[in-house]
Amino acid sequence: MKKALLFDVETTGLNHKLDQIIEFGGILLDENMNVIEEISTFVKCDDPLPAKIIEITNITDDMLLDGINEEELANKLNQLVDEETVLIAYNVQFDIGFFISLLERFNLKFKNNMVIDCMVVYKDRHPYPHRLLNDIEKYKLDGVNSHRALDDALATLELYKKMDAEDAIRPFYENRISYHSKYGLNGYKLPYVTYFPYVYKNHY
């Protein structure tokens, strides 16, 4: 596997065009999935956090005061991720929208990176529900689903390793993203990604 960035974001809301990243957690991995670097940072926000976001994440406005600004995060990601870096996340369609929007705000170009969605893999192998918490319980992972960025990224890494060990994730799941047929596809539509309605395949 080429170098990979497995990442998670916490945000002020669900709209990647209007809302902001407030916390970024990432794990840079080498071709053997060994950790090169961990990134965990709060990101300063323009407006006070919605009460619902504080309730879900336990992140407060005061905590963000110690964070970096959006431009610093954008430059960090632009330097960290080259054209060969694979981007991995749980529900990558959500996270990648905020990733790309952040770069665009500072005139930085997204590098058309290959993506892998661990949620798509889990959906193919296990019936509903499909939250990260369910995956942690199913595979008895050491990680926790805390709605904090680095915690969720670390849990997703453990999930990736478990699922890859039972049946190789690559190359089948590269650039494949599913969506719920009832709600359709939201967020960025990348021209090189195959999007398809979710159907449980009951492989396991």
Side-chain angles (χ1 to χ4, degrees):
M1 184 178 196
K2 300 170 184 175
K3 185 176 72 172
L5 178 67
L6 194 153
F7 73 105
D8 182 78
V9 297
E10 300 301 329
T11 66
T12 58
L14 302 178
N15 190 320
H16 64 85
K17 293 181 179 179
L18 302 177
D19 295 309
Q20 293 178 264
I21 295 173
I22 56 173
E23 187 181 29
F24 183 91
I27 309 162
L28 190 64
L29 304 161
D30 67 16
E31 63 275 8
N32 296 312
M33 297 296 283
N34 297 313
V35 177
I36 301 172
E37 180 182 354
E38 288 185 5
I39 306 101
S40 180
T41 184
F42 291 119
V43 186
K44 292 183 173 70
C45 188
D46 293 339
D47 301 307
L49 292 175
K52 188 65 176 177
I53 297 301
I54 295 173
E55 178 187 341
I56 292 171
T57 65
N58 291 314
I59 296 172
T60 66
D61 294 301
D62 287 343
M63 294 165 71
L64 299 187
L65 296 176
D66 295 326
I68 63 176
N69 61 46
E70 284 190 307
E71 186 170 11
E72 288 178 273
L73 178 59
N75 287 327
K76 171 72 173 177
L77 296 180
N78 188 55
Q79 293 166 6
L80 201 64
V81 174
D82 60 28
E83 290 81 359
E84 298 299 313
T85 306
V86 181
L87 299 178
I88 305 173
Y90 195 86
N91 190 15
V92 74
Q93 182 67 9
F94 176 83
D95 296 88
I96 202 70
F98 282 90
F99 189 109
I100 296 172
S101 290
L102 176 69
L103 294 180
E104 288 181 344
R105 276 201 289 281
F106 299 99
N107 298 312
L108 298 171
K109 186 178 179 181
F110 180 65
K111 297 164 184 171
N112 292 330
N113 300 88
M114 180 184 295
V115 297
I116 295 176
D117 189 351
C118 288
M119 185 170 72
V120 171
V121 184
Y122 188 83
K123 279 182 172 182
D124 262 6
R125 301 181 183 186
H126 303 285
Y128 183 86
H130 298 129
R131 295 180 301 163
L132 183 56
L133 176 62
N134 306 121
D135 308 14
I136 290 169
E137 293 173 349
K138 175 69 177 179
Y139 283 96
K140 298 179 173 60
L141 304 179
D142 292 332
V144 295
N145 174 211
S146 66
H147 289 293
R148 293 295 302 275
L150 185 59
D151 283 346
D152 289 359
L154 288 167
T156 301
L157 175 58
E158 292 304 308
L159 174 67
Y160 182 100
K161 290 178 177 179
K162 288 281 189 179
M163 293 193 299
D164 193 53
E166 66 186 9
D167 192 1
I169 288 174
R170 296 188 69 190
F172 183 77
Y173 287 100
E174 295 169 353
N175 293 332
R176 290 174 59 82
I177 294 177
S178 67
Y179 59 89
H180 198 300
S181 57
K182 180 179 178 180
Y183 304 109
L185 180 68
N186 294 313
Y188 276 92
K189 188 171 183 179
L190 299 171
Y192 54 89
V193 168
T194 299
Y195 297 93
F196 56 97
Y198 158 68
V199 177
Y200 174 49
K201 298 179 180 178
N202 196 20
H203 286 168
Y204 292 83

